[in-house]
Amino acid sequence: MSATLDAGAVTGFDPAAFTRRASRRHRTRSAASALLDGYTAVLSVGVAGLFGYGLLTALNHQLGAVTVVRPVTDPAAAVLPAATCLPLLGLILTTAALGAALRLGPVGPDRAQLAWWLWAPVPRAGLLARQGASRVLAAAAVGALCLLPVLAVLTLGPGLVLGAITGGLLAALAAEVAVAAQAAGRVPLMRRVTAGLGVAAAAAGLALVLSGWLLPTGVPMIAGVLTAAPTGWFVIAAGGAVWPPVALAAVVAVGWLAVRRRLGTITTSELARGGGAVQMLQLWAITGGADELVRTGPSAVASTTRAHRWIARVRTAVGALLAADAISAVRQRGSWTLAVLPAAAWSPAFIVGANGLVPVALVLVLTALAGMATAARTVRAGAAMTELDGLLPLSAARTRQLHAAVPALLLGGMMTVLCAGLVLLGAADPGLIAVGAIAGLGLGACAVRSAYRPPVDFSAPPIPTPFGYLPSSALATMSQGPDLAVVVLVPVVVALVIGATAPLLIVAQAVVVLVVVLIATTPPITS
């Protein structure tokens, strides 16, 4: 449809220029107000830059000295120098940027533009060029910011800026590839390519670890191959080389000129999908509904014809609810990440200088929170339609307790495997496995609390933030679930601190989980 519209489009008319002229004619803000807003923005960026530089300096001084605190895991397991892992980080960053760009469109107008201009016989390429450029620049900014803390541990000189710029250009190039795939109608194919890049990154990480254990002389060779690839050029730039950012900037510029000509071929349905994804992201920023963003991507549920076998055996209300949650967990795309997350939590133990208490505990907490968010999707659909729960002859508290069964089983298994790996790596005695398994049960209840969190109260007075005004209850809504999950993980972190698990710690973990389960599965009292 887009090709037909562009072929018969009215020539000599630019919708973007017309919109800008119309907005200037009806502008209500004075020049003094615009000047004041500009001054405030520059001052805010300057203060944020100084604060960020101070934080990066602290990171360099505190973390640059090889180890944070005493090693938590066996030092013999740390077979990889930190410098050899940096090129792998570039591959992971590029894969993540490409996947995020494909999920968000990346080009997609809002509803007003879609209704007023994209159905009209006007050339759409110029209108979409501004949006595409903004998406590419946003990807570059996010990529550079993600690499800044990592590179600050290594250097604070010109290499810090060059490395961050190179990382940003890698993310920008990934966004341009996503735009090209959207224009060519090859988004599903590019999603498969992204999955292949993720598998390649995992294989490279596994190869590094195995080589460090079995053939240490092969580690520099693997790291050299990863550094020679464009995704590893930011490591060369961090050493002071100027050619990597210059070469990537030229590729990004030429790529944008080539992609810009094809923006007009993007179908209206694809633009509507991209615009809906971006609007959902904006809604998530206000309400904290992260799972709403997931629904805007490819179907989050995989269909299966074997579900009727499970349903046919159900005879009770409890069985019906448990079967529904189990089927939802099986059908849910992305549930396989629960099997991969423990490996991510073990990764600091293999890196020299990263096997201290702070990195290991931080990665463990983040991994547990990511697993809780994944498991919460299994009950999110039921929480969004409370009428389904109301059809069951069960109390609200009993329904939530049963909803916690499947997430608790999944997260209990994940935490058991995670803690067993840490025990094998010398972090603590085998009692850590029991502490982690019990913590997984509490994380299941936290997943239900996250799924049943109330909507944001927009009637409350908004609070000013650097990103605009937000509802005062937004932070409280977003924290429901992770707040108690952090409490559940405290005994696990304590076991890592002391390096052992006394029976009293296991009992304390059980008591904490019991209290958390009661709090998380008790519905609020409504007046």
Side-chain angles (χ1 to χ4, degrees), residues 32 42 75 87 112 115 119-121 134 146 210 238 246 256 298-299 332 369 407 477 480 523:
V42 172
W119 289 99
S134 65
C146 288
L210 293 179
V246 173
W256 174 248
S299 177
Q332 190 74 42
L369 292 178
T477 299
Q480 288 206 13

Side-chain angles (χ1 to χ4, degrees), residues 103-491:
R103 186 176 293 277
L104 293 176
V107 178
D110 55 27
R111 289 184 178 180
Q113 293 172 334
L114 186 65
W116 282 97
W117 293 130
L118 296 183
W119 289 99
V122 295
R124 58 173 63 182
L127 180 64
L128 299 178
R130 178 186 294 268
Q131 296 178 353
S134 65
R135 303 292 192 271
V136 172
L137 291 176
V142 173
L145 290 176
C146 288
L147 285 180
L148 270 177
V150 179
L151 295 176
V153 178
L154 304 177
T155 179
L156 283 178
L160 173 63
V161 178
L162 292 174
I165 292 176
T166 305
L169 290 172
L170 284 174
L173 186 59
E176 284 187 357
V177 171
V179 174
Q182 188 182 20
R186 296 292 187 267
V187 173
L189 175 62
M190 193 53 60
R191 288 198 181 107
R192 290 192 290 270
V193 173
T194 305
L197 289 176
V199 173
L206 182 61
L208 280 172
V209 174
L210 293 179
S211 180
W213 282 345
L214 305 177
L215 188 63
T217 56
V219 173
M221 182 179 65
I222 299 175
V225 172
L226 293 174
T227 304
T231 54
W233 286 359
F234 77 97
V235 179
I236 303 175
V242 180
W243 67 264
V246 173
L248 284 177
V251 173
V252 169
V254 174
W256 174 248
L257 292 177
V259 169
R260 190 180 187 278
R261 300 175 181 178
R262 303 199 59 187
L263 290 177
T265 63
I266 303 178
T267 61
T268 303
S269 59
E270 183 65 23
L271 291 173
R273 182 194 66 83
V278 174
Q279 286 187 331
M280 199 61 68
L281 176 61
Q282 296 171 347
L283 180 64
W284 167 79
I286 298 177
T287 64
D291 288 294
E292 296 296 332
L293 177 61
V294 175
R295 296 193 186 107
T296 64
S299 177
V301 176
S303 61
T304 176
T305 59
R306 295 190 294 268
H308 67 277
R309 300 178 183 176
W310 296 16
I311 299 174
R313 301 174 183 176
V314 173
R315 295 293 183 270
T316 62
V318 174
L321 192 148
L322 293 177
D325 285 347
I327 293 172
S328 176
V330 172
R331 288 179 168 180
Q332 190 74 42
R333 295 188 187 273
S335 297
W336 57 270
T337 56
L338 293 175
V340 180
L341 285 175
W346 302 331
S347 57
F350 305 125
I351 303 173
V352 176
N355 57 348
L357 174 63
V358 174
V360 173
L362 180 61
V363 173
L364 185 147
V365 172
L366 293 178
T367 300
L369 292 178
M372 185 207 70
T374 302
R377 292 186 220 155
T378 61
V379 295
R380 181 78 65 178
M385 294 180 289
T386 55
E387 295 82 2
L388 296 178
D389 291 342
L391 296 176
L392 299 174
L394 300 170
S395 64
R398 179 64 172 166
T399 300
R400 295 194 181 192
Q401 291 168 4
L402 292 173
H403 273 309
V406 173
L409 181 63
L410 295 174
L411 293 172
M414 186 196 78
M415 291 297 295
T416 300
V417 174
L418 190 156
C419 293
L422 291 178
V423 169
L424 293 177
L425 292 170
D429 55 50
L432 180 65
I433 300 176
V435 175
I438 298 173
L441 302 180
L443 291 175
C446 295
V448 173
R449 175 178 170 86
S450 176
Y452 277 88
R453 57 190 175 192
V456 176
D457 182 13
F458 288 96
S459 63
I463 55 176
T465 69
F467 309 100
Y469 285 90
L470 293 179
S472 56
S473 62
L475 183 60
T477 299
M478 286 187 289
S479 64
Q480 288 206 13
D483 53 355
L484 293 183
V486 174
V487 176
V488 168
L489 296 171
V490 168

